């Protein structure tokens, strides 16, 4: 045991050292005489415990204890005092001292035992404190998530009410049969448009809950991507002139038709929503043998450059949308990014305020998407572990978090992870592989990139997919 003895009396210090001499269980005792020296020595060394005299040349009593506590907040401190002052003893213990021993009332056996117990008690307390901090952290997380959910519910309620009012209102007018032919057509179009809006909204919310539950599965089939784009564009022709340009010969793709339709729908919906009536929208499709690229361009309000990175985040709404009082939940682009990345593709945007925006998605034609069955994130550093897990989860990937290497032994043999992300500091692949149950086909082990950014994590998964 490494002991730091803070004691100004040479005789007392020698006595304590004699008490602690023990050949079977050696104790290292370092003696300092003043509080100032204590503060210096405790910094650079790893002691197990501090034995503190209550009267030093540069401090005494409870005040001395409290200063010592501040300097060494996690070390157990046992007070060794000549003052038989019950009140002081209680106050010191209440302030966190592990024990208050009276000089002249201890011998070698009792002192050693007191120190051992103090170290153990302190360890338990630390564990409890860490547990409490963890709980507090989780509580804060739950509160934040709950606030986000509440905001989503409020926006949804608002977003549902608008289209519903229009549908009911124009429906009633049609039912009265008093509208002219042209007016009837307008009313019917309004009903269709608002119905579409509600249907997009409900698709988005259902998809969000899939992603949150880690249950987003792609249903891959072969189909003509250009035909899908044309279908979606045509359904919006009543709202806007849309020009479609395709310079790819072959536009067949392997992908999830429903999710890609939802992606195109969201991009077109944004282009319509964030640009003035009558301004044209241009949809371009290029391609080569490996991928197809879809650009959706509008001449709308554009996005401030500082916000370009954020528009794909969950619930992110731009200042442009708020300022122009355009309704929305901030879900659309988050879903598009998730779907596109799941297909092994990428999304990007270029935009100039008051000029317009172009959103581009690149999709591999092979369907070599991220068929990720779920991954493991292994890191004892909470920041790193939760940060990486969060990034992966918000991309719809199921994540199991492990804090220690030996937890690898608890992996479910029936559900092998797609990959294991580990903190670079513990990334000894062979040692880790040895801990994984034999019945599991050992998954690739990948170091968590230093910034644990979502894009980098996804790129790592994409590399694994491509190598397979
Ligand atoms: P939702 O699509 O869920 O109804 P939303 O349109 O606000 O709501 P996203 O589609 O995710 O959400 O878009 C996020 C933000 O990006 C928008 O709030 C808006 O600020 C900006 N944005 C998206 N598309 C465009 C665009 N074509 N032109 C200008 N800004 C856009
Ligand atoms: Mg949108």
């Amino acid at each position: 045991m490494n002991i730091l003895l803070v004691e100004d009396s040479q005789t007392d210090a020698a006595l304590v050292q004699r008490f602690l001499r023990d050949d079977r269980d050696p104790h290292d005792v370092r003696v300092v005489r003043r509080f100032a020296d204590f503060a210096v020595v405790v910094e650079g060394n790893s002691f197990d415990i501090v034995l503190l005299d209550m009267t030093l040349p540069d401090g005494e009593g409870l005040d001395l204890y409290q200063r010592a506590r501040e300097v060494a907040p996690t070390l157990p401190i046992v007070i060794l005092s000549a003052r038989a002052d019950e009140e002081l003893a209680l106050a010191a213990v209440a302030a966190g001292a592990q024990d208050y021993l009276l000089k002249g009332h201890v011998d070698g056996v009792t002192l050693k035992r007191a120190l051992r117990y103090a170290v153990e008690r302190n360890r338990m307390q630390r564990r409890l404190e860490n547990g409490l901090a963890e709980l507090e952290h989780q509580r804060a997380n739950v509160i934040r998530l709950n606030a986000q959910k509440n905001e989503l519910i409020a926006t949804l309620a608002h977003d549902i009410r608008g289209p519903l009012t229009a549908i009911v209102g124009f429906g009633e007018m049609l039912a009265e049969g008093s509208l002219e032919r042209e007016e009837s057509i307008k009313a019917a179009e309004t009903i269709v448009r608002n119905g579409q809006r509600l249907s997009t909204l409900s698709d988005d919310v259902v998809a969000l809950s899939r992603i949150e539950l880690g249950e987003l599965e792609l249903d891959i089939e072969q189909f003509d991507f250009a035909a899908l784009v044309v279908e979606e564009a045509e359904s919006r022709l009543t709202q806007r002139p849309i020009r479609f340009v395709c310079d790819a010969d072959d536009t067949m793709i392997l992908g999830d038709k429903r999710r890609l339709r939802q992606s195109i729908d969201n991009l077109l919906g944004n282009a319509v929503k964030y640009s003035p009536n009558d301004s044209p929208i241009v949809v371009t499709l290029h391609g080569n043998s490996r991928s197809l690229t879809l650009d959706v361009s509008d001449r709308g309000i554009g996005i401030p450059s500082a916000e370009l990175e954020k528009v794909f985040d969950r619930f992110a709404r731009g200042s442009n949308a708020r300022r122009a009082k355009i309704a929305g939940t901030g879900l659309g682009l988050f879903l598009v990014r998730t779907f596109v990345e799941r297909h092994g593709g990428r999304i990007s945007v270029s935009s100039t305020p008051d000029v317009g925006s172009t959103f581009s998605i690149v999709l591999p034609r092979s369907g070599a998407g991220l068929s990720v069955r779920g991954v493991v994130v292994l890191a004892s550093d909470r920041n790193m572990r939760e940060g990486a897990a969060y990034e992966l989860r918000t991309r719809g990937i199921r994540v199991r978090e492990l804090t220690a290497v030996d937890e690898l032994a608890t992996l479910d043999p029936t559900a092998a992870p797609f990959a294991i992300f580990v903190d670079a500091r513990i990334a000894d692949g062979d040692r880790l592989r040895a801990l994984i149950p034999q019945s599991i086909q050992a998954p690739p082990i990948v170091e968590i990139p230093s910034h644990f950014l979502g894009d980098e994590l996804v790129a790592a998964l994409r590399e694994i997919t491509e190598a397979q």
Side-chain angles (χ1 to χ4, degrees):
M1 201 188 293
N2 270 340
I3 300 163
L4 178 56
L5 173 59
V6 195
E7 172 64 81
D8 61 329
S9 145
Q10 247 168 1
T11 340
D12 287 354
L15 189 65
V16 167
Q17 280 177 298
R18 179 133 43 82
F19 282 158
L20 293 176
R21 197 167 299 141
D22 184 335
D23 295 338
R24 280 164 304 151
D25 179 16
H27 293 69
D28 263 336
V29 186
R30 169 97 182 250
V31 187
V32 292
R33 301 234 165 106
R34 308 161 64 89
F35 175 77
D37 300 331
F38 161 78
V40 172
V41 166
V42 84
E43 275 293 322
N45 292 280
S46 55
F47 294 103
D48 298 308
I49 192 162
V50 177
L51 250 178
L52 179 68
D53 180 23
M54 276 300 232
T55 40
L56 297 177
D58 53 351
E60 65 165 352
L62 201 57
D63 173 60
L64 170 67
Y65 166 75
Q66 269 154 347
R67 279 157 64 208
R69 171 93 287 165
E70 266 170 43
V71 175
T74 55
L75 273 185
I77 298 178
V78 167
I79 290 164
L80 188 57
S81 166
R83 276 161 64 184
D85 180 340
E86 189 60 21
E87 229 169 85
L88 175 64
L90 268 178
V93 169
Q98 282 297 345
D99 214 337
Y100 188 101
L101 306 177
L102 266 186
K103 287 182 182 173
H105 291 253
V106 282
D107 57 20
V109 176
T110 49
L111 181 59
K112 274 185 272 186
R113 188 166 56 208
L115 293 184
R116 249 196 337 267
Y117 290 177
V119 167
E120 204 43 50
R121 258 197 316 274
N122 185 63
R123 198 171 293 149
M124 289 299 295
Q125 271 170 8
R126 290 278 87 74
R127 216 179 290 162
L128 270 176
E129 276 166 22
N130 287 343
L132 271 179
E134 177 81 15
L135 272 180
E136 188 45 48
H137 174 80
Q138 283 176 3
R139 199 178 75 99
N141 252 345
V142 169
I143 290 175
R144 189 177 47 80
L145 284 177
N146 196 39
Q148 261 187 2
K149 291 255 145 82
N150 284 343
E151 200 182 320
L152 175 68
I153 292 172
T155 332
L156 278 180
H158 178 264
D159 278 15
I160 291 171
R161 181 130 286 277
L164 264 188
T165 311
I167 289 173
V168 173
F170 282 96
E172 279 171 355
M173 283 194 231
L174 280 177
E176 279 166 18
S178 57
L179 294 179
E180 298 291 328
R181 192 182 140 68
E182 209 145 283
E183 286 173 332
S184 311
I185 293 175
K186 279 248 155 62
E189 280 172 2
T190 310
I191 290 174
V192 169
R193 190 171 62 243
N194 284 287
Q196 272 171 346
R197 171 73 198 133
L198 284 183
S199 134
T200 305
L201 198 62
S202 97
D203 285 352
D204 285 358
V205 174
V206 172
L208 173 72
S209 91
R210 277 275 133 73
I211 293 172
E212 303 264 278
L213 292 170
E215 283 175 3
L216 180 72
E217 302 280 344
L218 294 189
D219 201 354
I220 303 290
E221 60 182 310
Q222 187 165 43
F223 65 91
D224 184 357
F225 188 67
L228 182 68
V229 175
V230 169
E231 226 176 89
E232 286 306 294
E234 275 175 352
S235 77
R236 291 194 180 261
L237 279 178
T238 53
Q239 300 168 13
R240 265 323 146 71
I242 300 179
R243 195 151 68 88
F244 177 61
V245 184
C246 174
D247 67 7
D249 299 332
D250 176 8
T251 52
M252 294 303 286
I253 196 170
L254 275 170
D256 184 323
K257 194 168 178 180
R258 176 157 148 246
R259 295 311 183 192
L260 292 179
R261 181 193 296 282
Q262 212 173 337
S263 304
I264 301 166
D265 185 45
N266 264 305
L267 291 183
L268 284 174
N270 280 346
V272 169
K273 195 157 81 162
Y274 297 109
S275 66
N277 287 336
D278 299 334
S279 85
I281 291 166
V282 180
V283 177
T284 323
L285 186 61
H286 332 268
N288 56 37
S289 58
R290 299 189 54 196
S291 65
L292 292 176
T293 304
L294 180 77
D295 295 335
V296 177
S297 302
D298 63 60
R299 291 196 209 150
I301 60 177
I303 303 165
S305 59
E307 294 174 22
L308 281 178
E309 295 236 328
K310 278 190 300 190
V311 291
F312 301 108
D313 291 350
R314 191 175 54 161
F315 302 132
R317 299 221 64 218
S319 57
N320 56 356
R322 292 184 197 274
R323 201 172 323 112
K325 295 209 163 52
I326 299 172
T329 52
L331 268 183
L333 289 176
F334 164 72
L335 295 175
V336 180
R337 183 190 67 185
T338 305
F339 296 153
V340 168
E341 284 184 349
R342 268 308 189 80
H343 279 82
R346 283 159 219 264
I347 183 164
S348 58
V349 55
S350 65
S351 181
T352 312
D354 299 324
V355 175
S357 315
T358 298
F359 283 85
S360 303
I361 58 178
V362 182
L363 291 165
R365 297 178 47 173
S366 58
L370 293 174
S371 58
V372 179
R373 298 180 293 278
V375 303
V376 166
V377 172
L378 167 61
S380 55
D381 180 310
R382 191 172 75 191
N383 245 336
M384 174 182 279
R385 188 179 66 247
E386 292 186 353
Y390 172 81
E391 289 293 339
L392 288 161
R393 285 200 184 104
T394 63
R395 285 163 161 81
I397 295 165
R398 198 190 307 240
V399 182
R400 168 137 185 241
E401 292 177 46
L402 301 182
T403 45
V405 200
D406 43 12
E407 289 171 37
L408 283 172
T410 67
L411 289 183
D412 177 2
T414 59
F418 179 77
I420 300 181
F421 282 102
V422 293
D423 181 347
R425 284 165 297 190
I426 47 173
D428 174 358
D430 291 339
R431 192 162 71 92
L432 298 186
R433 252 174 232 111
L435 286 165
I436 299 171
Q438 293 284 312
S439 48
I440 296 184
Q441 195 199 355
I445 293 173
V446 191
E447 284 181 13
I448 300 174
S450 51
H451 304 297
F452 41 94
L453 292 174
D455 288 346
E456 293 180 37
L457 295 164
V458 168
L461 292 175
R462 192 177 298 128
E463 255 174 50
I464 297 172
T465 315
E466 279 163 14
Q468 276 170 357

